[in-house]
């Protein structure tokens, strides 16, 4: 695989560090407030965002001293809400975010989607409250999503680098985030209350018109996780990854207009392409993970192989171990 | 998969933390000396081990102040060796380790194997020197190995949890480490100068008499990595993982006496078994990784799924990012 040089591997490692930018020197991590509910650490909030949140609707959020010496104060819910029900917390936080949205001062909230994400101390754990998807990055709470590797076996040489093609999509130019970038065949954030497999099948249908009898064969194969800091906030993200073998006759069609074009590319083309700025960075990592799991990249032939594998699975800033 | 309960997932997470014991509270990490050559951080050395190493043969190792405030002194090679060739460093370090071995005071060196591991700032990078395998944990340098998931497809229901069986081996009672514990079909440390695929095929032949025409089909599928602290020292380990589908007619036979028995078990039996102390802990993690990659464990049905995935891929104490 002549594409996989030392320079290529270093580019992919840079991309992993870019996806993990909140963990890199120069990020806001050291000056950010931890966000906690009832003493449980759930996220991070940058100082300017915290000031805006505290000022938007008084009495919902509060700052309290950290129990760790020299750490910034902890952003929390006001004592009454800390003891209140998840529904009451959801309503109070929603009030703050709607006030901030009306003020038109927060870049993150320009992408308001009317879609709720669950806020919990761990995936599948008790939901402390729900938050508008676009607001999650202001509190730096964990976000989950589902991504699909759609592939076609085009030969039987026994060499997966020759026998496979994979579907790549180009995001619509009208999408609020990453317009025009290359992406996985289907992907989407995980709404509160929906299971990953159910969400994957929904995205298959909406984004690529994959019929139900095919999308039911999506195989869960792991995660790709990282914590980015963007101008819009802090994104501790975990993507549930699925593989789906598609027949050569299948042709994806966008049902919801979120995809501009689809391409069926061979492995060398994708290996080259994921190392360029044409790709949405986290989607490039999902392809990298596929190539590693399927023996297309091997430790015998891939510089920095151990670093590239562990760089796909960052446990994130909220890991408590 | 009724075996996969919340309690099972918590047991597997505890096992991951046990494998990453050097990263847990109460480990020697905060009091250990970093080990560096020519200013490049390569490992960790506990204070008592450092005293023994410095005293064994004067003039080979040295302590120098850390450039980071309040950090323990850095263990390094003496200035002449820092500028010398890899071969000269190998000989000097070997002299120290042989002197320590003769003194019979270091538990780690009781397992002396006459097998050299490469010491490098990253896998595949320039080799700074080579070290006896049993001595690597005294300097806490990265160790690499290869592990094989040997599986058999026994049905075609489309449900991998029903269609698969996997080979499990029981280590010989005479092995110096982990005698009698359950293990992968084949596994072994990666000697200096050998490629992972070459080493995997060698272990296939030695440990299970897998013929070359079968072992040539081993597929590289990623890594499992962690950093343990044991009484014998510090083990930042990265295991290159391979999958191999075997015909039902294949029966493994130990060629080198390192394996006591082999078992072909169904998935529920292995899922239960890896959560018990019967298994060598890192081998349990290699099975866990297989079940995640093959869709046998899914985020819809497995508590702590994101934590269990990232817990398999710890970037280790030497990660420089």
């Amino acid at each position: 695989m002549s594409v996989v040089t030392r320079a290529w591997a270093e580019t992919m490692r840079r991309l992993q560090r870019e996806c993990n930018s909140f963990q890199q020197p120069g990020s806001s991590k050291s000056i950010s407030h931890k966000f906690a509910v009832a003493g449980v650490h759930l996220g991070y909030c940058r100082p300017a965002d915290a000031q805006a949140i505290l000022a938007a609707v008084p009495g919902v959020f509060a700052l309290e001293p950290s129990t760790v010496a020299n750490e910034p104060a902890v952003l929390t819910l006001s004592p009454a809400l800390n003891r209140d029900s998840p529904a009451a917390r959801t309503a109070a936080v929603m009030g703050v975010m709607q006030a901030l949205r009306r003020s038109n001062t927060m870049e993150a909230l320009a992408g308001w989607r009317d879609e709720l994400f669950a806020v919990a101390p761990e995936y599948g754990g008790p939901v402390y409250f729900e938050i508008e998807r676009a607001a999650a990055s202001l509190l730096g709470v964990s976000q989950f999503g589902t991504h699909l590797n759609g592939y076609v076996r085009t030969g039987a040489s026994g060499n997966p680098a020759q026998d496979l093609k994979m579907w790549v999509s180009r995001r619509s130019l009208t999408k609020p985030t990453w317009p025009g970038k290359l992406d996985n065949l289907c992907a989407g954030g995980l709404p509160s209350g929906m299971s990953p497999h159910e969400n994957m099948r929904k995205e298959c249908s909406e984004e690529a018109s994959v019929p139900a009898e095919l999308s039911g064969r999506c195989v869960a194969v792991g995660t790709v996780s990282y914590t980015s800091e963007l101008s819009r906030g802090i994104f501790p993200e975990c993507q549930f990854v699925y593989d789906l073998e598609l027949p050569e006759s299948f042709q994806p069609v966008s049902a919801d207009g979120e995809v501009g074009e689809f391409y069926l590319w061979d492995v060398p083309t994708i290996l080259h392409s994921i190392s360029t700025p044409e790709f949405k960075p986290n989607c490039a990592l999902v392809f990298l993970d596929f190539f590693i799991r399927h023996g297309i990249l091997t430790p015998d032939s891939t510089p920095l192989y151990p670093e590239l594998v562990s760089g796909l699975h960052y446990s994130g800033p909220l890991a408590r171990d």
Side-chain angles (χ1 to χ4, degrees), chain A residues 17-302:
Chain A
R17 290 177 179 167
E18 186 185 319
C19 286
N20 278 307
S21 57
F22 188 60
Q23 302 300 329
Q24 304 300 317
S27 83
S28 297
K29 188 175 181 190
S30 65
I31 58 167
S32 289
H33 304 282
K34 281 185 176 166
F35 170 61
V37 172
V40 177
H41 180 202
L42 297 170
Y44 279 96
C45 183
R46 295 182 295 190
D49 294 337
Q51 290 311 312
I53 284 167
L54 287 161
V57 179
V60 176
F61 286 88
L63 284 178
E64 59 182 30
S66 171
T67 54
V68 181
N70 302 318
E71 267 200 7
V74 173
L75 183 70
T76 185
L77 295 178
S78 66
L81 282 166
N82 259 347
R83 291 188 298 270
D84 216 329
S85 70
R89 293 172 185 158
T90 298
V93 171
M94 181 61 83
V96 171
M97 296 304 167
Q98 280 170 334
L100 283 171
R101 184 188 182 195
R102 284 192 299 271
S103 75
N104 226 356
T105 54
M106 310 296 272
E107 183 193 345
L109 302 183
W112 194 282
R113 305 202 193 195
D114 286 320
E115 184 176 320
L116 290 176
F117 276 6
V119 179
E122 66 193 20
Y123 174 73
V127 177
Y128 283 23
F129 62 95
E130 294 177 317
I131 191 167
E132 155 63 26
R133 174 177 179 163
S137 65
L138 296 179
L139 298 176
V141 293
S142 289
Q143 303 190 23
F144 298 87
T146 54
H147 283 243
L148 183 69
N149 294 297
Y151 67 97
V152 177
R153 271 194 237 271
T154 58
S157 75
N159 178 346
Q162 288 168 20
D163 289 350
L164 281 178
K165 288 190 179 174
M166 297 183 73
W167 285 101
V168 174
S169 71
R170 189 181 294 282
R171 296 164 71 85
S172 156
L173 290 169
T174 61
K175 283 207 85 153
T177 55
W178 310 97
K181 294 288 183 186
L182 297 174
D183 201 328
N184 300 109
L185 175 56
C186 323
L190 184 66
S192 187
M194 190 173 280
S195 88
H197 193 254
E198 199 181 347
N199 189 49
M200 191 75 266
R201 296 188 68 179
K202 177 176 83 73
E203 297 291 346
C204 277
S205 169
E206 290 175 359
E207 298 201 339
S209 308
V210 182
E213 63 269 26
L214 281 179
S215 67
R217 298 183 204 155
C218 286
V219 179
V221 291
T223 68
V224 166
S225 55
Y226 47 84
T227 301
S228 313
E229 179 175 359
L230 305 175
S231 57
R232 291 180 280 119
I234 296 159
F235 297 78
E237 295 196 355
C238 173
Q239 309 299 350
F240 297 111
V241 179
Y242 290 80
D243 284 358
L244 177 60
E245 184 175 348
L246 290 159
E248 286 194 70
S249 59
F250 172 75
Q251 173 64 52
V253 176
S254 173
D256 62 5
E258 293 198 3
V259 176
E261 291 181 275
F262 292 101
Y263 314 104
L264 184 62
W265 280 351
D266 62 20
V267 168
T269 303
I270 300 177
L271 281 171
H272 166 72
S273 188
I274 58 175
S275 74
T276 71
E278 282 293 285
F279 253 90
K280 182 165 178 265
N282 63 342
C283 301
L285 299 192
V286 173
F287 277 101
L288 179 64
D289 176 64
F290 181 92
F291 296 137
I292 288 167
R293 286 185 294 99
H294 286 261
I296 291 169
L297 299 175
T298 75
D300 282 26
S301 60
T302 310

